[in-house]
Amino acid sequence: MKNKTSLKDIANAVGVSITLVSYVLNGKGEKNRVSKNTAKKIIDVAKKLNYYPNLSARSLVTNKTRTIGLIVADIANPFFGSLARFIEDAAFSKDYTVIFCSSDENVNKFDRILNFLTTRQVDGFIIAAPEGSGDFIKKLERLKIPMVLIDRYFKELKTNFVGIDNFQSSLLATNHLINNNCKKIGTILYLSKLDHYGDRYDGYVEALNRAGLMNKIELVKRINYGNLNREMALAIKELISLNVDAIYFHTNILAQEGLKQMIILDKNILHKIKVVAFDQNPAFNFLDTFVPYVLQPVAEMANQALTILCDQIDEGKDFKLFKTCLQTELITKSADQFDI
Amino acid sequence: MKNKTSLKDIANAVGVSITLVSYVLNGKGEKNRVSKNTAKKIIDVAKKLNYYPNLSARSLVTNKTRTIGLIVADIANPFFGSLARFIEDAAFSKDYTVIFCSSDENVNKFDRILNFLTTRQVDGFIIAAPEGSGDFIKKLERLKIPMVLIDRYFKELKTNFVGIDNFQSSLLATNHLINNNCKKIGTILYLSKLDHYGDRYDGYVEALNRAGLMNKIELVKRINYGNLNREMALAIKELISLNVDAIYFHTNILAQEGLKQMIILDKNILHKIKVVAFDQNPAFNFLDTFVPYVLQPVAEMANQALTILCDQIDEGKDFKLFKTCLQTELITKSADQFDI
DNA sequence: TCATTTTGCTTTAACGATTAAGCAATATTA
DNA sequence: TAATATTGCTTAATCGTTAAAGCAAAATGA
């Protein structure tokens, strides 16, 4: 790391000006009429001296860092973990750096992260926004900072967005239970005003209404993100005491925790109560009953989000708006059965 | 992001030189005899203009980026995901930025990542090294680049390291099975030359030897990282056909996949074959039998690694060597039973 | 042959910060 | 009162890169 070779070193070695070296190494040699001969010499020496550019210096001039900030709820959550992984790969191949940050669904933390990343001069953001962060998003929008929302969106804001049709997906999930003869379908979601959760809820209600299953009794349980364990245990108990024959979990973490609590109460419960979940969780493989789930095209989401973002960063300020709605799929069979 | 305020703007507004502003905002006002009055003015104006420093410019001068590179096998793996999360938090509070990269246990990818991060001028590395990366680590060492190995280490290299005593932990895990009357204890590990896996293997062998259970028949199955599904299915089948009464999995991913295959073969298998795993996996909660596991102090590992690294970055080149060996624990009971 | 164009390069300024060195004006000491 | 010390600031160099503008020398055209 010490005594790094700079453009100057190469220039001295070859006997030309720094500018010429810069032109050649940036592929602007032709354009600036650098002779083939000199170009070759420069490239050779650069290789010999193991040159790589100082990005701080470059950023200082270009005002671009080739770095983007990714803000999710929690990188340790399997859904966001895999999303992050796909974004990492896509960014790596585009020669972009990603800084991952977890907001813990907390607006204050989110604000601090935004400041942190802004100070780091990121060129843009990919954000899975926490509840109540609308004003911060609005501010980014006003400042014309390149940004793509992912997973979560705000109905009233016109920002780039890559995600799925939560209403339809929820309809799909709920209908699966209905088609399997379930009559009392409970559901467990987060106590949150995020619109995508709202859509999932609406999809559930719509499906029940269409099937004439909407009950007077409230079979909907809303759980606090910060108090998952306790509230889930309670919710499960209550739903069971209400004699539900199915439970639809609105996220994979909810499903993971909910299933855990269900099994604690009764090992054979999944033969009595059908379950559907949003998103996959490796843990589902451990149950003796297959848990159907809504599969999001996470790789696709990651790629699209990154592509939109990078395009906007490159194109500058007058970018158009992209709202991408990807297809989900309801997985009802184990994909990798005993494969030998 | 546009029209950012610079030191110059503040200097002009207050009517002083840029230098003075720099001194004050870096807390070097006292030392450089800036009058209290001027200092206050500078601070006020900086706040009013919403100043934050341009890190590219600063890095150019200081040759420090306050950025570290974290290289793990796969950020989507629960073990590394949670490690990454703790490192993220620790770094955030120290005002360091972390760039996460996944090597996929592939030396070529590892090399490319190393280049990528070096080009990004990271100040140092935290590395869970893939098999065969010893020479690259040696090179970093030779270049005196601050670095801490985590989880995996190289017996022949004298580098900083934070991890656990794999031999002892393995002994612990295997003894647990022995103490539970298991006589034919199979084990499944990766086909890898990484020393920490070697230690785990040695611990297993030592435990069997001490108990006089070392068999003529080979109960050890080695799995290729890249072909987990197929090879695991085979390994499980073979171990079962050899009539093992226990299986010890050397990582949580191995356990996850192995248990899946075991259950596919026989839903009640865990009542016949005892299992112990290295590292926790949320999926274990879904089994009707509790799976004991070796718990690594991940948060502690993250903190120590970051502290050692940051200290070395600050102190410069003549740092001492740290090898930290943290205690593990064998968890034999579900910690969060129905907690209501 | 002289004006014009093209070729191949260099000069110079800029990006925004840090930091050693310098320099008046004022205060202190002998 | 003159020499010295302190206070409060500024100047200038530097980090490594980009890029607009400029400038000889060689090639082309009339």
Side-chain angles (χ1 to χ4, degrees):
Chain A
M1 227 129 201
K2 266 290 142 59
N3 295 336
K4 264 203 53 193
T5 102
S6 67
L7 290 185
K8 197 174 174 181
D9 300 326
I10 301 174
N12 288 339
V14 179
V16 293
S17 70
I18 294 176
T19 305
L20 217 62
V21 180
S22 170
Y23 284 147
V24 170
L25 296 183
N26 284 305
K28 299 179 182 168
E30 298 266 306
K31 211 178 85 186
N32 288 283
R33 304 173 310 228
V34 180
S35 75
K36 286 223 172 66
N37 203 354
T38 322
K40 192 180 168 337
K41 269 192 237 166
I42 289 173
I43 290 170
D44 288 349
V45 172
K47 206 162 280 171
K48 206 182 71 190
L49 297 183
N50 186 31
Y51 171 81
Y52 53 93
N54 182 317
L55 297 197
S56 299
R58 179 180 287 170
S59 296
L60 191 54
V61 178
T62 60
N63 214 21
K64 291 260 148 60
T65 54
R66 281 194 97 74
T67 299
I68 64 169
L70 171 67
I71 310 180
V72 297
D74 183 3
I75 198 86
N77 172 322
F79 174 70
F80 291 119
S82 94
L83 192 63
R85 183 60 215 280
F86 284 116
I87 290 178
E88 177 199 327
D89 288 348
F92 187 72
S93 71
K94 279 185 195 280
D95 204 40
Y96 265 84
T97 305
V98 185
I99 306 177
F100 299 96
C101 294
S102 307
S103 73
D104 289 321
E105 301 285 11
N106 178 324
V107 195
N108 292 326
K109 178 107 193 276
F110 182 76
D111 184 28
R112 281 188 293 134
I113 289 173
L114 232 40
N115 278 321
F116 180 82
L117 291 175
T118 306
T119 308
R120 258 88 195 150
Q121 266 95 27
V122 298
D123 293 337
F125 293 93
I126 297 181
I127 299 177
E131 189 183 1
S133 61
D135 287 345
F136 296 107
I137 304 292
K138 220 178 290 178
K139 187 176 161 196
L140 292 181
E141 193 193 312
R142 217 174 36 237
L143 294 172
K144 298 264 176 217
I145 297 175
M147 164 188 48
V148 179
L149 296 191
I150 197 162
D151 187 46
R152 294 100 178 272
Y153 71 105
F154 294 87
K155 279 208 167 81
E156 79 277 15
L157 294 185
K158 49 176 198 358
T159 49
N160 294 300
F161 173 68
V162 176
I164 56 161
D165 186 332
N166 287 281
F167 179 83
Q168 281 299 330
S169 305
S170 203
L171 211 58
L172 200 67
T174 314
N175 278 335
H176 173 78
L177 295 171
I178 293 172
N179 294 336
N180 276 272
N181 271 324
C182 299
K183 304 293 179 198
K184 290 192 80 174
I185 303 174
T187 200
I188 298 185
L189 59 157
Y190 281 122
L191 184 60
S192 162
K193 295 201 181 74
L194 283 166
D195 287 332
H196 75 304
Y197 287 140
D199 293 348
R200 291 184 193 178
Y201 174 75
D202 292 345
Y204 160 80
V205 170
E206 175 70 14
L208 292 195
N209 273 329
R210 285 188 197 170
L213 289 175
M214 205 52 193
N215 223 300
K216 270 143 267 169
I217 306 150
E218 184 63 62
L219 297 180
V220 179
K221 296 293 166 197
R222 295 175 182 275
I223 304 263
N224 242 306
Y225 182 83
N227 196 15
L228 182 56
N229 273 17
R230 299 188 69 77
E231 297 195 12
M232 181 60 82
L234 200 61
I236 293 292
K237 272 196 165 176
E238 290 180 357
L239 285 182
I240 289 175
S241 72
L242 288 168
N243 275 314
V244 295
D245 53 11
I247 300 181
Y248 161 33
F249 293 102
H250 287 223
T251 78
N252 89 84
I253 292 290
L254 286 171
Q256 180 180 298
E257 187 63 24
L259 284 163
K260 191 175 104 189
Q261 298 292 353
M262 289 170 76
I263 291 165
I264 289 173
L265 288 181
D266 175 0
K267 283 178 187 177
N268 290 312
I269 200 162
L270 292 180
H271 297 297
K272 304 164 202 162
I273 298 182
K274 290 215 160 52
V275 165
V276 166
F278 222 99
D279 301 328
Q280 192 172 16
N281 189 308
F284 297 168
N285 287 311
F286 282 28
L287 298 166
D288 52 4
T289 318
F290 182 79
V291 174
Y293 58 90
V294 174
L295 177 69
Q296 299 195 47
V298 181
E300 184 75 10
M301 281 172 69
N303 282 320
Q304 295 235 13
L306 201 75
T307 303
I308 294 172
L309 187 64
C310 292
D311 284 355
Q312 297 211 336
I313 290 170
D314 291 342
E315 284 168 23
K317 294 299 152 202
D318 50 341
F319 35 72
K320 18 183 184 350
L321 203 63
F322 285 93
K323 299 248 183 217
T324 309
C325 204
L326 300 169
Q327 283 296 315
T328 59
E329 199 183 341
L330 186 74
I331 306 294
T332 54
K333 282 200 224 349
S334 178
D336 55 351
Q337 279 299 355
F338 200 42
D339 52 351
I340 192 159
Chain B
M1 227 131 200
K2 267 288 143 61
N3 294 335
K4 266 203 51 194
T5 102
S6 67
L7 288 186
K8 197 176 174 181
D9 301 325
I10 300 174
N12 288 339
V14 179
V16 293
S17 71
I18 295 175
T19 305
L20 218 62
V21 180
S22 171
Y23 283 148
V24 170
L25 296 183
N26 283 306
K28 298 179 183 167
E30 299 265 307
K31 210 178 85 186
N32 287 285
R33 305 173 309 227
V34 181
S35 75
K36 285 221 172 68
N37 204 352
T38 322
K40 192 181 169 336
K41 269 191 238 166
I42 290 173
I43 289 170
D44 288 348
V45 172
K47 206 163 279 170
K48 206 181 72 190
L49 298 183
N50 186 30
Y51 171 80
Y52 54 93
N54 182 317
L55 296 196
S56 299
R58 179 180 287 170
S59 296
L60 192 54
V61 178
T62 60
N63 215 19
K64 290 260 148 61
T65 54
R66 280 195 97 73
T67 299
I68 64 168
L70 172 67
I71 309 180
V72 297
D74 182 4
I75 199 87
N77 172 322
F79 174 69
F80 291 119
S82 94
L83 192 63
R85 183 59 216 279
F86 284 116
I87 290 178
E88 177 199 327
D89 288 348
F92 187 72
S93 71
K94 278 184 194 283
D95 204 40
Y96 265 85
T97 303
V98 185
I99 305 178
F100 299 96
C101 295
S102 307
S103 74
D104 288 320
E105 300 286 10
N106 178 324
V107 194
N108 292 326
K109 178 106 195 277
F110 182 76
D111 184 27
R112 283 187 293 133
I113 289 173
L114 232 39
N115 278 321
F116 180 83
L117 292 174
T118 307
T119 308
R120 259 85 196 152
Q121 266 95 26
V122 298
D123 293 337
F125 292 94
I126 297 181
I127 299 177
E131 187 182 3
S133 61
D135 286 345
F136 296 107
I137 303 293
K138 220 179 289 177
K139 187 177 162 196
L140 292 181
E141 192 194 311
R142 216 172 39 236
L143 293 172
K144 298 265 177 218
I145 296 175
M147 165 188 47
V148 178
L149 295 191
I150 197 162
D151 187 45
R152 293 101 179 271
Y153 70 106
F154 294 88
K155 279 209 165 80
E156 80 275 18
L157 294 185
K158 52 175 193 359
T159 50
N160 293 302
F161 173 69
V162 175
I164 56 161
D165 186 332
N166 287 281
F167 180 84
Q168 281 300 329
S169 304
S170 204
L171 211 58
L172 199 67
T174 315
N175 278 335
H176 172 78
L177 294 171
I178 294 171
N179 295 336
N180 276 271
N181 270 324
C182 299
K183 303 293 180 200
K184 288 190 83 174
I185 302 174
T187 200
I188 298 185
L189 58 158
Y190 282 123
L191 184 60
S192 162
K193 296 202 179 74
L194 283 166
D195 287 330
H196 74 305
Y197 288 139
D199 292 348
R200 291 183 194 179
Y201 174 76
D202 292 345
Y204 160 81
V205 171
E206 174 70 14
L208 292 194
N209 272 332
R210 286 190 198 168
L213 289 175
M214 206 52 192
N215 223 300
K216 270 143 266 169
I217 308 151
E218 183 65 57
L219 298 178
V220 179
K221 296 292 166 197
R222 294 173 184 274
I223 304 265
N224 242 305
Y225 181 82
N227 196 16
L228 181 56
N229 273 16
R230 300 189 67 79
E231 298 196 12
M232 180 62 81
L234 200 62
I236 292 292
K237 272 196 164 178
E238 291 181 359
L239 285 183
I240 288 176
S241 73
L242 288 167
N243 277 314
V244 296
D245 54 11
I247 300 180
Y248 161 34
F249 293 102
H250 287 223
T251 79
N252 88 85
I253 292 288
L254 287 172
Q256 180 181 298
E257 188 62 24
L259 284 164
K260 191 175 103 188
Q261 299 291 356
M262 289 171 76
I263 291 165
I264 289 173
L265 289 181
D266 174 0
K267 285 178 186 177
N268 290 311
I269 200 164
L270 292 180
H271 296 298
K272 304 165 202 164
I273 298 181
K274 288 216 162 52
V275 165
V276 166
F278 222 99
D279 301 329
Q280 190 172 16
N281 188 308
F284 297 167
N285 288 310
F286 282 27
L287 299 165
D288 52 3
T289 318
F290 181 80
V291 174
Y293 58 90
V294 174
L295 175 69
Q296 299 195 46
V298 182
E300 184 76 8
M301 280 172 71
N303 282 320
Q304 294 234 14
L306 201 75
T307 303
I308 294 172
L309 186 63
C310 293
D311 284 354
Q312 296 210 337
I313 290 170
D314 291 342
E315 283 168 23
K317 294 298 152 202
D318 50 340
F319 36 71
K320 18 183 183 349
L321 204 63
F322 285 93
K323 299 245 183 220
T324 311
C325 205
L326 300 170
Q327 282 298 314
T328 59
E329 198 183 341
L330 185 75
I331 306 294
T332 53
K333 280 200 229 344
S334 177
D336 55 351
Q337 279 298 356
F338 200 41
D339 52 352
I340 193 159

